[in-house]
């Protein structure tokens, strides 16, 4: 018989208790955290959907690998294990280990960036944009028009707008472009996938103008799932073959391995060009660690080598993508405005639509993140004007194009009943939505302000 229910394709060997709390307790915790979910203690969280990054449960194989980790400073066996898996997947010659994605970003974009340079992406992730801007360069997002239509079911809303790409190349001139970056899946754009057709078109344009193409590949296996099931011509390819084909079109790759390599810490930079790789290697040694560990322990590299293979296992990927869409589809059916189609690693709720009474300068997304914590102990993150808002010269907020809240689902961590609990919490969110007010920022940092900003609740 063919079962309808997609079960978690694993058994639980080791557990981590969740401490339950009351709404009154959470009210006090939230106040102490200045209404910023990043400032909550994880002990006070029931379901942690803050991020899918570094929060995966490792397999028994990976834990066994941890014990075998070779902690030698140079030429560690674990480094060679990691290097081989990354080389096989990316097909790139130069592999630099880093402790996480943003370390790789700082190195490569610090080297390619600087004043006068422009970087172009479907959507730069916040750390990507911050590293580019920190170098003095500019970051431009050009996702296709469908990406901002939350109700469109277009299958590849993560694609780059190639017409706009041509325009930006013409106006900025190719030699001033640091790189084009394809983020798969497009995290800040709703976790939407990028097609291989689009990647090919972008790659051809980049080659024609001699511009470097970098793949931000932290969710490349999830993106491969969508290609296999949505893009004609890939039905019979394996997920790994699809991912390899995508890498073959790029000149470099940056990976936060805390996502699709199923580890708690790790990352890498992969390159084809020796000159760039040598320069980056120097920066790596100065700031991260020697070229055969780059800030990682041997055990981290061992677990990464195993995780980056496990993630392509078909039953795992099917469970992963279908369990995320189960939550999203249920919320959609209940009338919660969610970004459609449901992305790979997260469900994105349109807070602007949910709370039409809250103007963007009072951060509707922050209000929803606070409500989810209060009502259910569910921790999420705002992806809107708190994260991406800027100020004009007069100090007025230039809002982000969207006000979303992300429910990012850790890999292999939560079960179906946890998800049912989240759905139940949303029933309450819907019932009480008209009595929710916005927030005001009372303290903030110059870069990545969402991590540390303090808020005050507005009461009318
Ligand atoms: N690129 C993308 C697309 C990401 O999603 C992230 C991290 C990074 C780069 C940076 O990697 O955290 O290892 O330094 N995203 C996490 C998230 C933090 O919650 O989405 P990192």
């Amino acid at each position: 018989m063919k079962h309808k229910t997609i079960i978690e394709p694993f058994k639980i060997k080791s557990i981590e208790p969740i401490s339950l709390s009351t709404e009154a307790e959470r009210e006090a915790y939230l106040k102490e955290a200045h209404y910023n979910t990043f400032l909550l203690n994880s002990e006070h969280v029931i379901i942690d959907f803050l991020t899918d990054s570094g929060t995966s449960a490792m397999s028994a194989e990976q834990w066994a690998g941890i014990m075998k980790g070779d902690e030698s400073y140079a030429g560690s066996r674990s480094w060679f294990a990691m290097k081989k898996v990354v080389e096989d997947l990316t097909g790139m010659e130069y592999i630099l280990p880093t402790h996480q994605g943003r370390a790789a970003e700082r190195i490569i974009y610090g080297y390619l960036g600087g004043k006068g340079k422009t970087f172009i992406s479907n959507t730069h992730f916040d750390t990507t944009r911050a590293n580019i801007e920190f170098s003095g360069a500019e970051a431009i997002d050009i996702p296709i028009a469908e990406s901002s239509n939350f109700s469109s079911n277009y299958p590849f809303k993560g694609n780059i707008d190639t017409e706009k790409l041509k325009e930006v190349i013409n106006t900025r001139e190719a030699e001033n472009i640091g790189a084009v970056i394809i983020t798969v899946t497009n995290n800040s754009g709703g976790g939407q996938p990028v097609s291989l057709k689009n990647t090919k078109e972008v790659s051809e344009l980049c080659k024609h103008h001699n511009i470097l193409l970098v793949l931000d590949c932290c969710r490349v296996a999830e993106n491969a799932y969508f290609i296999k099931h949505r893009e004609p011509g890939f039905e019979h390819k394996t997920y790994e073959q699809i991912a390899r084909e995508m890498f073959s079109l790029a000149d470099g790759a940056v990976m936060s391995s805390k996502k699709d390599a199923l580890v708690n810490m790790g990352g890498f930079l992969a390159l084809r060009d020796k000159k760039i790789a040598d320069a980056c290697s120097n920066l790596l040694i100065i700031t991260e660690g020697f070229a055969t560990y780059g800030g990682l322990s041997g055990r981290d590299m061992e677990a990464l080598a195993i995780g980056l293979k496990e993630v392509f296992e078909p039953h795992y990927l099917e469970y992963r993508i279908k369990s995320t869409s189960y939550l999203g589809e249920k919320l959609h059916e209940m009338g919660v405005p969610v970004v459609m189609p449901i992305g790979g690693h997260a469900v994105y709720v349109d807070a602007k639509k949910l709370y039409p009474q809250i103007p963007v300068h009072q951060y509707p997304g922050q209000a929803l993140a606070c409500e989810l914590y209060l009502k259910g102990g569910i921790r999420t993150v705002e992806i809107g004007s708190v994260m991406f808002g800027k100020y004009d010269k007069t100090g007025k907020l230039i809002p982000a194009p969207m006000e979303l809240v992300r429910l990012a689902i850790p890999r292999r961590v939560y079960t179906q009943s946890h998800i049912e609990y989240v759905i139940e919490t949303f029933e309450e969110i819907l019932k009480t939505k008209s009595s929710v007010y916005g927030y005001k920022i009372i303290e903030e940092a110059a870069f990545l302000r969402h991590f540390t900003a303090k808020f005050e609740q507005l009461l009318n």
Side-chain angles (χ1 to χ4, degrees), residues 51 100-102 105 125 127 183 187 216 219 256 259 406:
T51 180
Q100 64 183 92
R102 72 196 70 180
E105 289 174 343
F125 181 66
T127 59
T183 311
N187 186 5
D216 179 339
R219 297 180 182 87
S256 167
K259 285 86 167 171
R406 185 183 73 170

Side-chain angles (χ1 to χ4, degrees), residues 15 29 42 58 115 175 240 249 253 259 266 291 324 329 345 364 366 420-421 448:
I15 61 109
Y29 299 145
S42 67
M58 288 204 288
K115 212 168 161 31
E175 64 268 27
E240 258 170 314
L249 299 165
K259 285 86 167 171
T324 305
E329 298 285 349
H345 68 297
Q366 198 63 25
E420 300 296 349
Y421 171 95
L448 301 176

Side-chain angles (χ1 to χ4, degrees), residues 19-61:
S19 61
L20 303 175
S21 52
T22 64
E23 200 167 323
E25 285 167 337
R26 291 194 293 271
E27 205 174 319
Y29 299 145
L30 191 61
K31 190 160 179 239
E32 261 169 57
H34 303 281
Y35 304 97
N36 183 340
T37 51
F38 282 103
L39 303 180
L40 286 165
N41 289 359
S42 67
E43 263 184 342
H44 299 153
V45 172
I46 296 177
I47 307 281
D48 208 341
F49 283 171
L50 184 67
T51 180
D52 62 319
S53 180
T55 51
S56 301
M58 288 204 288
S59 65
E61 271 306 305

Side-chain angles (χ1 to χ4, degrees), residues 38 50-54 99-105 123-128 131 183-188 216-219 254-259 265-267 345 348 381 383 387 406 408 451:
F38 282 103
L50 184 67
T51 180
D52 62 319
S53 180
H99 80 274
Q100 64 183 92
R102 72 196 70 180
E105 289 174 343
T123 312
H124 294 84
F125 181 66
D126 58 353
T127 59
T128 320
N131 273 296
T183 311
V184 291
T185 53
N186 191 17
N187 186 5
S188 311
D216 179 339
C217 65
C218 58
R219 297 180 182 87
V254 168
M255 186 181 204
S256 167
S257 308
K258 299 168 72 172
K259 285 86 167 171
M265 194 52 70
H345 68 297
Y348 295 73
V381 62
I383 301 198
M387 191 179 270
R406 185 183 73 170
F451 285 132

